[in-house]
Amino acid sequence: MIPIAPAVRVWIATGHTDMRRGMNSLALLVQEAFKRDPHGGDLYVFRGKSGLPPARAALLN
């Protein structure tokens, strides 16, 4: 379990994300798709094509 402060927003990317991307590419995806600052303190969750459970998904914070 990851403790999350009440003020933190959690954004979940729908669809499949290429999990071979690095953190810089995921941050760029946040800027382009969500129109958000990836370093603004929110939490972003991405899911790979294999459909692994969220515990294995990439988290960008």
Side-chain angles (χ1 to χ4, degrees):
M1 185 66 73
I2 300 172
I4 300 173
V8 173
R9 294 183 194 167
V10 178
W11 299 84
I12 301 174
T14 58
H16 304 293
T17 303
D18 184 356
M19 300 306 281
R20 296 173 294 180
R21 293 179 141 195
M23 286 298 158
N24 290 337
S25 294
L26 291 173
L28 182 61
L29 182 63
V30 167
Q31 289 176 332
E32 293 175 350
F34 291 104
K35 307 290 189 242
R36 308 284 304 171
D37 176 11
H39 305 290
D42 293 340
L43 181 66
Y44 300 90
V45 181
F46 301 92
R47 181 177 174 268
K49 187 175 182 180
S50 65
L52 294 174
R56 300 270 316 265
L59 300 175
L60 179 64
N61 181 349

